[in-house]
Amino acid sequence: MTALALLLFGRRARLRWIHLVLGGALAMPYVLVGSVVVGPVAGGANVFGSLQLQLASFALGLPLAAVTSLFPLTRPLESGVVRWLCGVEADRLAYDPARTKGEKGRTAAWFTLHLGAGGIVAGMSLAVPPFAAVLIALPFVSALRDDRMGLPGLFHHAWALVLSPLAGAAMLVALAGCAAACGTLLARWAPALLGPSAEDRVAAAEARAADLAVRNRLARELHDSVGHALSAVTLQASAARRLLDTDPDFVREALAAIEDTTRRTVGELDAVLGVLRDGDATGDAWGTAPAPTLATDLDDLLRRTRAGGLRVDATVAADPRALPAPVSREAYRIVQEGLSNALRHAGEKVTVALRVEVLDGHLRITVENPFGTAAPAPRPGGGHGLRGIADRARLLGGSAEAGPEGPVWRLRVRLPLEATA
């Protein structure tokens, strides 16, 4: 019983009832226009004194409603009302004006349906409750049984008086049931008639995918640049503290490297956060700060890494300036992340071998160091570096492999040059 009561008189049912009554109110001007035509045709009869003539005016007004629904604001307004009163999810409705013939036809069908069902339910809502109230009060108010009330003679019988309250209550329940059924049907049909077309859904999905791709790229950039900077600065500061009294020259070099690393990383961080704040998924993710590349920034990266106490044996058997821009940019981040892993896990007094070369139309990057603690250990909120390297390589059509090979931990990356030139 509780579920039935909520279905007929709950908040959702009441809001949908209001939606139907609004449809009836919107239908009234069209009914009046229809009555102007029906009245003369019926020989000047009083249209509102005859139920048949009222229904004829109503039927004549609905096609007019379908025509006026072609105004641009109809679909946005109807979608907003449906979302608010009918409880339809926002993403299942379209809020821009109908443009194509199919969208306009579906909007006209919805508007006609809304006004038609709303006019019927609104008319019942005006007529049924007063009559039901009379039936409920009939056994208790003798004045209602007067012949001047126009009630059928049936209600002069005692059994009719006993049953009239039940009949009145049943009429109210039936009215609520009709309103709930119509509201449910309209809510079910609304996405089909007011929802986005297949083309709109595909365009929205593509826009979401593009936005997600840009945000994933920004997340990779932040992870690689900020993660590397924090690892490098931590080791540089630690090494400077240990050698503060014995090697002032090294300390000065470490502090200069810390200053350079933090300044560059803050610039990159500001650029990425600016993109996130502006929501510009189509612009350059780095704004006025150019993305670091292998051609322009590899030497500084090696210098900052060595200033942290890590020995890097770098062999560059390729001309970075001849690389395509996407390859040069992603290769820099891959090298940066490989060195970051070595900084975090290889330990002190370890030599990391870096080799960058071009073979068989591919840029090959190899980073290796003695195996021991070199494997990236799981850590809360971390562990995304190798996944980011694999993502970068895959986006360029390349591949990445990482893991222990005998006594060393080795990272191998292959990036095609011809496809990205």
Side-chain angles (χ1 to χ4, degrees):
M1 289 297 293
T2 302
L4 180 61
L6 288 176
L7 181 64
L8 297 180
F9 303 104
R11 182 176 183 274
R12 176 65 56 80
R14 296 196 304 271
L15 290 176
R16 289 177 176 175
W17 200 337
I18 292 173
H19 178 252
L20 289 165
V21 171
L22 288 176
L26 290 174
M28 284 305 299
Y30 302 101
V31 174
L32 293 175
V33 173
S35 68
V36 173
V37 178
V38 171
V41 173
N46 181 12
V47 173
F48 296 100
S50 168
L51 178 60
Q52 290 81 1
L53 295 180
Q54 290 182 40
L55 293 176
S57 301
F58 183 63
L60 187 61
L62 289 181
L64 298 176
V67 173
T68 58
S69 68
L70 299 179
F71 286 104
L73 289 179
T74 301
R75 188 166 75 162
L77 292 176
E78 284 288 324
S79 295
V81 173
V82 167
R83 175 186 176 186
W84 179 40
L85 294 178
C86 293
V88 179
E89 293 85 353
D91 58 354
R92 301 181 65 191
L93 300 170
Y95 300 93
D96 54 334
R99 296 181 299 272
T100 66
K101 290 183 179 180
E103 292 176 349
K104 292 178 180 179
R106 290 188 289 117
T107 302
W110 166 262
F111 195 63
T112 305
L113 180 64
H114 181 200
L115 268 59
I120 294 172
V121 172
M124 293 172 60
S125 300
L126 290 174
V128 171
F131 186 61
V134 170
L135 291 181
I136 293 173
L138 194 61
F140 312 104
V141 182
S142 58
L144 296 176
R145 298 192 292 273
D146 193 291
D147 292 338
R148 289 174 297 179
M149 294 296 296
L151 292 175
L154 175 69
F155 288 101
H156 293 293
H157 298 284
W159 62 268
L161 292 177
V162 173
L163 295 178
S164 64
L166 296 177
M171 292 176 66
L172 293 177
V173 173
L175 172 61
C178 289
C182 289
T184 300
L185 289 176
L186 287 181
R188 183 172 299 176
W189 292 337
L193 297 177
L194 291 178
S197 62
E199 293 79 5
D200 291 336
R201 287 192 291 270
V202 170
E206 290 177 347
R208 287 194 297 269
D211 181 69
L212 181 60
V214 170
R215 291 182 181 275
N216 285 339
R217 177 197 167 192
L218 296 181
R220 288 195 303 269
E221 299 289 352
L222 282 176
H223 173 272
D224 291 351
S225 62
V226 176
H228 172 80
L230 291 176
S231 298
V233 166
T234 299
L235 290 180
Q236 289 162 352
S238 176
R241 177 178 56 81
R242 292 195 305 270
L243 300 176
L244 181 61
D245 297 326
T246 60
D247 194 347
D249 292 336
F250 177 84
V251 172
R252 280 192 291 270
E253 183 180 354
L255 292 177
I258 290 174
E259 180 183 5
D260 181 57
T261 300
T262 54
R263 181 186 297 112
R264 183 179 187 88
T265 304
V266 167
E268 295 179 357
L269 181 61
D270 286 343
V272 175
L273 292 180
V275 174
L276 293 175
R277 282 192 298 266
D278 297 338
D280 181 13
T282 61
D284 182 3
W286 300 100
T288 58
T293 64
L294 206 64
T296 59
D297 300 275
L298 178 60
D299 292 338
D300 286 341
L301 175 63
L302 295 176
R303 178 180 57 79
R304 293 194 301 269
T305 304
R306 289 164 177 153
L310 187 69
R311 288 176 289 193
V312 181
D313 182 9
T315 302
V316 181
D319 183 5
R321 294 170 297 181
L323 298 176
V327 174
S328 184
R329 182 177 60 246
E330 300 304 326
Y332 175 87
R333 290 303 188 192
I334 290 171
V335 171
Q336 184 183 54
E337 180 57 30
L339 294 178
S340 294
N341 283 335
L343 280 171
R344 285 192 292 265
H345 306 293
E348 298 181 3
K349 299 180 180 180
V350 169
T351 299
V352 177
L354 168 67
R355 183 171 183 83
V356 180
E357 57 187 343
V358 175
L359 289 175
D360 302 327
H362 288 75
L363 179 68
R364 297 174 182 259
I365 301 171
T366 305
V367 181
E368 60 182 36
N369 50 266
F371 180 65
T373 59
R379 51 192 173 88
H384 301 293
L386 294 179
R387 186 189 310 167
I389 290 176
D391 288 343
R392 292 178 186 278
R394 186 170 56 253
L395 287 174
L396 293 180
S399 62
E401 299 175 355
E405 296 184 12
V408 300
W409 173 271
R410 182 174 288 116
L411 168 67
R412 285 197 184 98
V413 180
R414 296 173 69 252
L415 304 177
L417 299 179
E418 184 177 353
T420 54

